Amino acid sequence: MSDLHNRVIDFRFAPEINQTCIGLVDDYYKTIVREDGSLNYLWEGDQNQFVDGTIPACDKRILNCQEGNMGFKYRYLPKFYHRDRLVRRTQDFGSPRAAIVTTREEYEETLFQWTTFAYQDEAGARMDVILFRMEAKEGFGHAKSAVYLQELGEASDPPETCRSKNSAYALPVGHPRIPAPIALYTSIYSNGKESETSVIREGDVWEGAFALVYHGRVSLSKFTLNYARNALGWAEKYWDSVHPFLNQFHIPDRQIQEMLDSCGRNILQAREIVEDICEFHVGPTIYRGLWVVDGYYFGECAYMMGRDEEGFQCLQAVLKRVKPDGSIRILPDHHKETAVALSTIVRQCELRNDDDRLREMWPVMVRGMEHLRRMRDDSLKLGEDYAAYGMFPPSFGDGGIYGPEPEYTTPMTVILGLRDAYQAGKRLKLERFEEFGTFAKELAARMKECMDRDRKVTKEGIPYVPLSMAHNEAYKPQTCSATIARVAFHGEFTPDDPVVANLRELMDSIDDREGIPECTGWRSDQSVYVYSSVRFAQMFLQAGNGEKAVDYLYAFANHASPSRVWREEQPVKETHSAEICGDMPHNWASVEFIRLVRNLLVLEEAEGVKLFAGFPEEWLPQKENSLVLERTPTRFGKISIIMDVGEHEGYRLSVIKEQGNQELKYLKLRWNGEAVLEGKKLVSQDGEYELPAAGDQIQLKLYI
């Protein structure tokens, strides 16, 4: 195995600019700690950022990607007054389950570190605390000094970060002013005693703390060093009490388990309660809000985390966006959102095994279908010379395609939504279900005609269909191709369809430098659209190449920062490019990591389930370190798997099935070795064992 795919997570491709959120679960306050240890408040990036797909100049100031404020109005960085030369800076993020960041700076003769975390006292006062320690090394001599917060943004007290009420393309820009928090600081404690001098000497250790109080009141007299230390103890206990996964989700590979723990925590940190409904948000800055397409996967992931009711609230949040014309949308020209909402309704009801709820929402789905059909008809009014004639008017493609323009991601997504609704309606014999199927066939036929017309070949001879019909020199053959992987995974294309087979070949040709495909999103040069790699991994997994899917999983993890969060898009490490795009933490990436790990173990297909479709040897259990996936949701009911070391040799695998409202027609196990059921060796076919689909429990013995 090449070094690139050695399945060690060491964050070798981590972005140089790191943003870590230290907010609490469902916290309104989304403080960001940067790679320099600064606290960043009030993100107000330029409103054209989303359209442009990068970080441009802001009207008020230039946002320098390498040294600037990255769209934050206020930044505060702990500093000391005396002179010394910085040798190195490191950060420690502690437990993956905790949002506590320690920044350490080593100077030639000074050691300086500070720990930053969120705290809420018994009276409800909410603040960010900075607990610092400074030590003068041997040979330091003496110097006047002080520890202070350097202002890197606008020179005024930082107002609190707040949730944007904007929608559409006007992303969180120009937050309303809210009273500034109170900045608190302690006295300096030198060698354990309150200091009466401003001179630091060789061997001295200074300690103290700052706090930025968002909400409530804390008196200066109360805010002491012991107060700050007790606050840190509270934060450690708080995060230890947070369990993102309510059902067991344990992988024996500690690296993967720590990534899962962090992903779950970050999802809960970005989440917010809006009008008494739990909304899963993608990130704390540019993507702070509800998104229909993203919401499908956040909702599904919530069920995988055992948070069924919270996942269903994600659907409720989407349904609040139903418009009088029948559309279900947030962004203008993002015509696919209505279709994604159809798929979301079906999927959520499947995971709840709640057919009655689907029947209740069927009229909403019918009106959504009627809206989509009217939009198709609007494309006919543009004349036969219009490239997407018979599909949709110019649309915002997203994922690398700008617009509005004629493109394929909208019809692909709409066909998938219609087919999801058709299958559900047919199964339940709901009124007018046939119309969904008929409309899907009409769109699919027209889309095939257009794809045959637009098909091209790369210079390496790989066929592909450009997903935009508009001419844009920035678009590459792989631009936005994660859409094909997504709809293929959900059944719109079969794994052997030439469109999907060609895409697998294309991805394989552009993933050599960092282990995942390059330039598949907004940035078309020397860039990786990081979390799209997980979509491609799902595509390879579905086609039977679990090994490739696992390679992508580990490579994807190595593009996270050491705080185990991702930037949406970042430059290739070995280049001089500085272009970035999107939020950080980008928690759709966290969602996709969890989903891929689940699907490598329990892969849900249209009529059955495959176990261990992609099972790396690194995940084999050891004694007292079992593999456990408890009550993971499928349309066939919840499934639990427990794999541990056998008493004498081999492994024991228990599969527990709970009945759902759809029939499980097959259950297969992919295993490169022997499988024994009830004392009899099973016979594999193409590396898969057929297991009994009936019954509620199976006990297997597995041997390598």
Side-chain angles (χ1 to χ4, degrees), residues 73-138:
K73 188 173 183 179
Y74 301 103
R75 294 183 64 209
Y76 287 82
L77 177 65
K79 300 284 287 185
F80 56 76
Y81 178 74
H82 65 266
R83 290 187 302 114
D84 208 344
R85 190 177 73 85
L86 180 66
V87 176
R88 68 178 60 85
R89 179 190 294 119
T90 59
Q91 282 186 313
D92 181 0
F93 302 95
S95 167
R97 287 177 50 187
I100 299 174
V101 181
T102 297
T103 305
R104 296 187 177 93
E105 292 183 338
E106 181 179 354
Y107 294 78
E108 288 182 338
E109 296 187 273
T110 309
L111 297 175
F112 186 45
Q113 73 172 46
W114 60 96
T115 298
T116 309
F117 54 93
Y119 172 62
Q120 183 168 301
D121 71 11
E122 294 179 355
R126 167 69 175 85
M127 68 193 75
D128 293 333
V129 178
I130 305 168
L131 190 60
F132 65 83
R133 182 183 189 276
M134 181 169 67
E135 178 180 351
K137 295 181 182 179
E138 182 179 351

Coordinates of all heavy atoms in Angstrom, one line a residue, residues 73-138:
K73 N -15.2 40.6 12.1 CA -15.0 42.0 12.4 C -14.0 42.2 13.6 O -13.3 43.2 13.7 CB -16.3 42.7 12.7 CG -16.3 44.2 12.8 CD -17.7 44.7 13.0 CE -17.7 46.3 13.0 NZ -19.0 46.8 13.1
Y74 N -14.1 41.3 14.6 CA -13.3 41.5 15.8 C -12.5 40.2 16.0 O -13.0 39.1 15.9 CB -14.2 41.7 17.0 CG -15.1 42.9 16.8 CD1 -16.4 42.8 16.5 CD2 -14.6 44.2 17.0 CE1 -17.3 43.9 16.4 CE2 -15.4 45.3 16.9 CZ -16.7 45.2 16.6 OH -17.5 46.3 16.4
R75 N -11.2 40.4 16.3 CA -10.3 39.3 16.6 C -9.5 39.8 17.8 O -9.0 40.9 17.9 CB -9.4 39.0 15.5 CG -10.1 38.4 14.3 CD -9.0 38.1 13.2 NE -8.2 37.0 13.7 CZ -6.9 36.8 13.3 NH1 -6.4 37.7 12.4 NH2 -6.2 35.8 13.7
Y76 N -9.3 38.9 18.8 CA -8.5 39.2 20.0 C -7.5 38.1 20.2 O -7.9 36.9 20.3 CB -9.5 39.4 21.2 CG -10.2 40.7 21.1 CD1 -11.3 40.8 20.3 CD2 -9.7 41.8 21.7 CE1 -12.0 42.0 20.1 CE2 -10.3 43.1 21.6 CZ -11.5 43.1 20.8 OH -12.1 44.4 20.6
L77 N -6.3 38.5 20.4 CA -5.2 37.5 20.5 C -4.4 37.8 21.8 O -3.9 38.9 22.0 CB -4.2 37.7 19.3 CG -3.0 36.8 19.3 CD1 -3.4 35.3 19.3 CD2 -2.1 37.1 18.2
P78 N -4.2 36.9 22.7 CA -3.4 37.0 23.9 C -2.0 37.3 23.5 O -1.4 36.6 22.7 CB -3.6 35.7 24.6 CG -4.9 35.2 24.2 CD -5.0 35.6 22.7
K79 N -1.4 38.3 24.1 CA 0.0 38.7 23.9 C 0.7 39.1 25.2 O 0.0 39.4 26.1 CB 0.1 39.9 22.9 CG -0.5 39.6 21.5 CD 0.3 38.8 20.6 CE 1.5 39.5 20.1 NZ 2.3 38.7 19.2
F80 N 2.0 39.1 25.2 CA 2.7 39.7 26.3 C 3.5 40.9 25.8 O 3.8 41.1 24.6 CB 3.6 38.7 27.0 CG 4.6 38.0 26.1 CD1 5.8 38.6 25.7 CD2 4.4 36.7 25.7 CE1 6.7 38.0 24.9 CE2 5.4 36.0 24.9 CZ 6.5 36.7 24.5
Y81 N 3.9 41.8 26.8 CA 4.5 43.1 26.4 C 6.0 43.0 26.1 O 6.5 43.7 25.2 CB 4.2 44.0 27.6 CG 4.8 45.4 27.3 CD1 4.2 46.3 26.4 CD2 5.9 45.8 28.0 CE1 4.7 47.6 26.2 CE2 6.5 47.1 27.8 CZ 5.9 47.9 26.9 OH 6.4 49.2 26.7
H82 N 6.7 42.2 26.8 CA 8.2 42.2 26.6 C 8.6 41.6 25.3 O 7.8 41.0 24.6 CB 8.9 41.5 27.8 CG 8.6 40.0 27.9 ND1 7.6 39.5 28.6 CD2 9.2 39.0 27.2 CE1 7.6 38.2 28.5 NE2 8.6 37.9 27.6
R83 N 9.9 41.9 24.9 CA 10.4 41.4 23.6 C 10.9 40.0 23.8 O 11.6 39.6 24.8 CB 11.5 42.3 23.1 CG 11.0 43.6 22.6 CD 12.1 44.4 22.0 NE 13.3 44.6 22.8 CZ 14.5 44.1 22.7 NH1 14.7 43.3 21.6 NH2 15.5 44.4 23.5
D84 N 10.7 39.2 22.7 CA 11.3 37.8 22.6 C 11.0 37.3 21.2 O 10.1 37.8 20.6 CB 10.8 36.9 23.7 CG 11.8 35.8 24.1 OD1 12.8 35.6 23.3 OD2 11.6 35.2 25.1
R85 N 11.8 36.4 20.7 CA 11.6 35.8 19.4 C 10.9 34.5 19.4 O 11.3 33.6 20.1 CB 12.9 35.7 18.7 CG 12.8 35.4 17.2 CD 14.2 35.3 16.5 NE 14.9 34.1 16.9 CZ 14.7 32.9 16.3 NH1 13.9 32.8 15.3 NH2 15.4 31.8 16.7
L86 N 9.8 34.4 18.6 CA 9.0 33.2 18.6 C 9.7 32.1 17.9 O 10.2 32.3 16.8 CB 7.6 33.5 17.9 CG 6.7 32.3 17.7 CD1 6.2 31.8 19.1 CD2 5.5 32.7 16.8
V87 N 9.8 30.9 18.5 CA 10.5 29.8 17.9 C 9.4 28.9 17.2 O 9.6 28.4 16.1 CB 11.3 29.0 19.0 CG1 11.9 27.7 18.4 CG2 12.3 29.9 19.6
R88 N 8.3 28.6 17.9 CA 7.3 27.7 17.4 C 6.0 27.9 18.1 O 6.0 28.3 19.3 CB 7.7 26.2 17.4 CG 7.8 25.6 18.8 CD 8.1 24.2 18.8 NE 9.4 23.9 18.2 CZ 10.6 24.0 18.8 NH1 10.6 24.3 20.1 NH2 11.7 23.8 18.2
R89 N 4.9 27.6 17.4 CA 3.6 27.7 17.9 C 2.9 26.4 17.7 O 2.9 25.9 16.5 CB 2.7 28.8 17.4 CG 1.3 28.9 17.9 CD 0.4 29.9 17.2 NE 0.9 31.3 17.4 CZ 1.3 32.1 16.4 NH1 1.3 31.6 15.1 NH2 1.6 33.3 16.6
T90 N 2.2 25.8 18.7 CA 1.5 24.6 18.5 C 0.1 24.7 19.2 O -0.1 25.6 20.0 CB 2.2 23.3 19.1 OG1 2.4 23.6 20.5 CG2 3.5 23.1 18.5
Q91 N -0.8 23.8 18.8 CA -2.1 23.8 19.4 C -2.5 22.4 19.8 O -2.2 21.5 19.2 CB -3.2 24.4 18.5 CG -3.2 25.9 18.4 CD -4.3 26.5 17.6 OE1 -4.7 26.0 16.5 NE2 -5.0 27.5 18.1
D92 N -3.2 22.3 21.0 CA -3.6 21.1 21.5 C -5.1 21.2 21.7 O -5.6 22.1 22.3 CB -3.0 20.8 22.9 CG -3.4 19.5 23.5 OD1 -4.2 18.8 22.9 OD2 -2.9 19.2 24.6
F93 N -5.9 20.2 21.1 CA -7.3 20.3 21.1 C -7.9 19.3 22.1 O -9.1 19.1 22.2 CB -7.9 20.0 19.7 CG -7.3 21.1 18.8 CD1 -6.2 20.8 18.0 CD2 -7.9 22.3 18.7 CE1 -5.7 21.8 17.1 CE2 -7.5 23.3 17.8 CZ -6.4 23.0 17.0
G94 N -7.0 18.6 22.9 CA -7.5 17.7 23.9 C -8.4 16.6 23.5 O -8.2 16.1 22.4
S95 N -9.4 16.2 24.3 CA -10.3 15.2 23.9 C -11.1 15.5 22.7 O -11.6 16.7 22.6 CB -11.2 14.9 25.1 OG -12.3 14.1 24.7
P96 N -11.3 14.6 21.7 CA -12.1 14.8 20.6 C -13.5 15.2 20.9 O -14.3 15.8 20.1 CB -12.0 13.5 19.8 CG -10.8 12.9 20.3 CD -10.7 13.2 21.7
R97 N -14.0 14.8 22.1 CA -15.3 15.1 22.5 C -15.5 16.5 23.2 O -16.6 16.9 23.5 CB -15.8 14.1 23.5 CG -16.1 12.7 22.9 CD -16.5 11.7 23.9 NE -17.5 12.1 24.8 CZ -17.9 11.5 25.9 NH1 -17.4 10.3 26.2 NH2 -18.9 11.9 26.7
A98 N -14.4 17.2 23.3 CA -14.4 18.5 24.0 C -14.0 19.7 23.1 O -13.1 19.5 22.2 CB -13.5 18.5 25.2
A99 N -14.6 20.8 23.2 CA -14.3 22.0 22.5 C -13.4 22.9 23.3 O -13.9 24.0 23.8 CB -15.5 22.7 22.0
I100 N -12.2 22.5 23.6 CA -11.3 23.2 24.5 C -10.0 23.3 23.7 O -9.4 22.3 23.3 CB -11.1 22.6 25.8 CG1 -12.4 22.5 26.6 CG2 -10.0 23.3 26.7 CD1 -12.4 21.7 27.9
V101 N -9.5 24.5 23.5 CA -8.3 24.7 22.7 C -7.2 25.3 23.5 O -7.4 26.4 24.1 CB -8.6 25.6 21.4 CG1 -7.3 25.8 20.6 CG2 -9.7 25.1 20.6
T102 N -6.0 24.7 23.5 CA -4.8 25.3 24.1 C -3.8 25.6 23.1 O -3.4 24.8 22.3 CB -4.2 24.3 25.1 OG1 -5.2 24.0 26.2 CG2 -3.0 24.8 25.8
T103 N -3.4 26.9 23.1 CA -2.3 27.3 22.2 C -1.0 27.5 22.9 O -1.0 28.2 24.0 CB -2.7 28.7 21.5 OG1 -4.0 28.5 20.9 CG2 -1.7 29.1 20.5
R104 N 0.1 27.0 22.5 CA 1.4 27.1 23.1 C 2.3 27.8 22.2 O 2.5 27.4 21.0 CB 1.9 25.7 23.5 CG 1.0 25.0 24.5 CD 1.7 23.7 25.0 NE 0.9 23.0 26.0 CZ 0.0 22.1 25.8 NH1 -0.2 21.7 24.5 NH2 -0.7 21.6 26.8
E105 N 3.0 28.8 22.7 CA 4.0 29.5 22.0 C 5.3 29.4 22.8 O 5.4 29.7 24.0 CB 3.7 31.0 21.8 CG 2.5 31.2 20.9 CD 2.2 32.7 20.7 OE1 2.6 33.5 21.5 OE2 1.5 33.0 19.7
E106 N 6.4 28.9 22.1 CA 7.7 28.8 22.7 C 8.6 29.9 22.0 O 8.7 29.9 20.8 CB 8.3 27.5 22.5 CG 9.7 27.4 23.1 CD 10.3 26.0 22.9 OE1 9.7 25.1 22.4 OE2 11.5 25.9 23.3
Y107 N 9.1 30.8 22.9 CA 10.0 31.8 22.4 C 11.4 31.4 22.9 O 11.6 30.4 23.6 CB 9.6 33.2 23.0 CG 8.3 33.7 22.5 CD1 7.1 33.2 23.0 CD2 8.2 34.7 21.6 CE1 5.9 33.7 22.5 CE2 7.0 35.2 21.1 CZ 5.8 34.6 21.6 OH 4.6 35.1 21.1
E108 N 12.4 32.2 22.5 CA 13.8 31.8 22.9 C 13.9 31.8 24.4 O 14.6 30.9 24.9 CB 14.7 32.9 22.3 CG 14.9 32.7 20.8 CD 15.9 33.7 20.2 OE1 16.2 34.7 20.9 OE2 16.4 33.4 19.1
E109 N 13.2 32.7 25.1 CA 13.4 32.7 26.6 C 12.1 32.8 27.3 O 12.1 33.1 28.5 CB 14.4 33.8 27.0 CG 15.8 33.6 26.5 CD 16.8 34.6 27.0 OE1 16.9 35.7 26.4 OE2 17.4 34.3 28.0
T110 N 11.0 32.6 26.6 CA 9.7 32.7 27.2 C 8.8 31.5 26.8 O 8.8 31.2 25.6 CB 9.0 34.0 26.9 OG1 9.9 35.1 27.1 CG2 7.7 34.2 27.7
L111 N 8.0 30.9 27.7 CA 7.0 30.0 27.4 C 5.6 30.6 27.7 O 5.4 31.1 28.8 CB 7.1 28.7 28.2 CG 8.4 27.9 27.9 CD1 8.5 26.7 28.9 CD2 8.5 27.4 26.5
F112 N 4.7 30.6 26.7 CA 3.5 31.3 26.8 C 2.4 30.4 26.3 O 2.5 29.9 25.2 CB 3.5 32.7 26.1 CG 2.3 33.5 26.2 CD1 1.7 33.7 27.5 CD2 1.7 34.1 25.1 CE1 0.6 34.5 27.7 CE2 0.6 35.0 25.3 CZ 0.0 35.2 26.5
Q113 N 1.4 30.2 27.1 CA 0.2 29.3 26.6 C -1.1 29.9 27.1 O -1.1 30.5 28.2 CB 0.4 27.9 27.0 CG 0.2 27.6 28.4 CD 0.2 26.1 28.7 OE1 1.1 25.3 28.2 NE2 -0.8 25.6 29.4
W114 N -2.1 29.6 26.4 CA -3.5 30.0 26.9 C -4.5 28.9 26.4 O -4.4 28.3 25.3 CB -3.9 31.4 26.4 CG -3.9 31.6 25.0 CD1 -5.0 31.6 24.2 CD2 -2.8 31.9 24.1 NE1 -4.7 31.8 22.8 CE2 -3.3 32.1 22.8 CE3 -1.4 32.1 24.3 CZ2 -2.5 32.4 21.7 CZ3 -0.7 32.5 23.2 CH2 -1.2 32.6 21.9
T115 N -5.5 28.7 27.3 CA -6.5 27.7 27.0 C -7.8 28.5 26.9 O -8.2 29.3 27.8 CB -6.6 26.7 28.2 OG1 -5.4 26.0 28.2 CG2 -7.8 25.7 27.9
T116 N -8.6 28.2 25.8 CA -9.8 28.9 25.5 C -11.0 28.0 25.5 O -10.9 26.9 24.9 CB -9.6 29.6 24.1 OG1 -8.4 30.4 24.1 CG2 -10.8 30.6 23.9
F117 N -12.1 28.4 26.1 CA -13.2 27.5 26.2 C -14.5 28.4 26.5 O -14.4 29.5 26.9 CB -13.0 26.5 27.3 CG -12.7 27.0 28.6 CD1 -13.7 27.3 29.6 CD2 -11.4 27.3 28.9 CE1 -13.4 27.8 30.8 CE2 -11.0 27.8 30.2 CZ -12.0 28.0 31.1
A118 N -15.6 27.8 26.3 CA -16.9 28.4 26.6 C -17.3 28.0 28.0 O -17.1 26.8 28.4 CB -18.0 28.0 25.6
Y119 N -18.0 28.9 28.7 CA -18.4 28.6 30.1 C -19.8 29.3 30.3 O -20.0 30.4 29.8 CB -17.4 29.2 31.1 CG -17.8 29.1 32.5 CD1 -18.1 27.9 33.1 CD2 -18.0 30.3 33.3 CE1 -18.5 27.8 34.5 CE2 -18.3 30.2 34.6 CZ -18.6 29.0 35.2 OH -19.0 28.9 36.5
Q120 N -20.6 28.6 31.1 CA -21.9 29.2 31.5 C -22.0 28.9 33.0 O -22.0 27.7 33.5 CB -23.0 28.6 30.8 CG -24.4 29.2 31.1 CD -25.4 28.7 30.1 OE1 -25.3 29.0 28.9 NE2 -26.5 28.1 30.6
D121 N -22.2 30.0 33.8 CA -22.3 29.8 35.3 C -23.8 29.4 35.7 O -24.7 29.3 34.8 CB -21.8 31.0 36.0 CG -22.7 32.2 35.9 OD1 -23.9 32.1 35.5 OD2 -22.3 33.3 36.4
E122 N -23.9 29.1 37.0 CA -25.2 28.7 37.5 C -26.4 29.7 37.3 O -27.5 29.3 37.1 CB -25.1 28.4 39.0 CG -24.2 27.2 39.3 CD -24.1 26.9 40.8 OE1 -24.7 27.7 41.5 OE2 -23.5 25.9 41.1
A123 N -26.0 31.0 37.2 CA -27.0 32.0 37.0 C -27.3 32.3 35.5 O -28.1 33.1 35.2 CB -26.5 33.3 37.6
G124 N -26.6 31.5 34.6 CA -26.9 31.6 33.2 C -25.9 32.6 32.5 O -26.1 32.8 31.3
A125 N -25.0 33.2 33.2 CA -24.0 34.0 32.5 C -23.1 33.2 31.5 O -22.6 32.2 31.9 CB -23.1 34.7 33.5
R126 N -23.1 33.6 30.3 CA -22.4 32.9 29.3 C -21.2 33.7 28.8 O -21.3 34.9 28.5 CB -23.3 32.6 28.1 CG -22.7 32.1 26.8 CD -22.1 30.7 26.9 NE -21.6 30.3 25.6 CZ -20.4 30.6 25.1 NH1 -19.6 31.3 25.8 NH2 -20.1 30.2 23.9
M127 N -20.0 33.1 28.8 CA -18.8 33.8 28.5 C -17.8 32.9 27.8 O -17.9 31.6 27.9 CB -18.1 34.4 29.8 CG -17.6 33.3 30.7 SD -17.2 34.0 32.4 CE -18.9 34.2 33.0
D128 N -16.8 33.5 27.2 CA -15.6 32.8 26.7 C -14.5 33.1 27.7 O -14.3 34.3 28.0 CB -15.2 33.2 25.3 CG -16.2 32.7 24.3 OD1 -16.9 31.8 24.5 OD2 -16.3 33.4 23.2
V129 N -13.7 32.1 28.1 CA -12.7 32.3 29.1 C -11.3 32.0 28.4 O -11.2 31.0 27.7 CB -12.9 31.4 30.3 CG1 -11.7 31.6 31.3 CG2 -14.2 31.7 31.0
I130 N -10.3 32.8 28.7 CA -9.0 32.6 28.3 C -8.1 32.5 29.6 O -8.0 33.4 30.3 CB -8.4 33.7 27.4 CG1 -9.4 34.0 26.2 CG2 -7.0 33.5 27.0 CD1 -9.1 35.3 25.5
L131 N -7.6 31.3 29.8 CA -6.8 31.0 31.0 C -5.3 30.9 30.5 O -5.0 30.0 29.7 CB -7.2 29.7 31.6 CG -6.7 29.3 33.0 CD1 -7.1 30.3 34.0 CD2 -7.3 27.9 33.4
F132 N -4.4 31.8 31.0 CA -3.1 31.9 30.4 C -2.0 31.6 31.5 O -2.2 31.7 32.7 CB -2.8 33.2 29.8 CG -2.8 34.4 30.7 CD1 -1.7 34.7 31.4 CD2 -3.9 35.2 30.8 CE1 -1.6 35.8 32.3 CE2 -3.9 36.3 31.6 CZ -2.8 36.6 32.4
R133 N -0.9 31.2 31.0 CA 0.3 30.9 31.8 C 1.6 31.3 31.0 O 1.7 31.0 29.9 CB 0.4 29.4 32.1 CG 1.6 29.0 33.0 CD 1.6 27.5 33.2 NE 2.5 27.1 34.2 CZ 3.9 26.9 34.0 NH1 4.4 27.1 32.8 NH2 4.6 26.5 35.0
M134 N 2.4 32.1 31.7 CA 3.7 32.6 31.0 C 4.8 32.3 32.0 O 4.8 32.5 33.2 CB 3.6 34.1 30.7 CG 4.8 34.6 30.1 SD 4.6 36.3 29.4 CE 4.4 37.2 31.0
E135 N 5.9 31.7 31.4 CA 7.1 31.4 32.2 C 8.3 32.0 31.6 O 8.5 31.9 30.4 CB 7.2 29.8 32.3 CG 8.4 29.4 33.0 CD 8.6 27.9 33.1 OE1 7.6 27.2 32.7 OE2 9.6 27.3 33.5
A136 N 9.2 32.6 32.4 CA 10.4 33.1 32.0 C 11.5 32.0 32.1 O 11.7 31.5 33.3 CB 10.8 34.4 32.7
K137 N 12.2 31.6 31.0 CA 13.1 30.5 31.1 C 14.4 31.0 31.8 O 14.7 32.1 32.1 CB 13.5 30.1 29.7 CG 12.4 29.5 28.9 CD 13.0 29.1 27.5 CE 11.9 28.5 26.6 NZ 12.5 28.2 25.2
E138 N 15.2 30.0 32.1 CA 16.5 30.2 32.7 C 17.4 31.1 31.7 O 17.4 30.9 30.5 CB 17.3 28.9 32.9 CG 18.6 29.0 33.5 CD 19.3 27.6 33.7 OE1 18.6 26.6 33.5 OE2 20.5 27.6 34.1

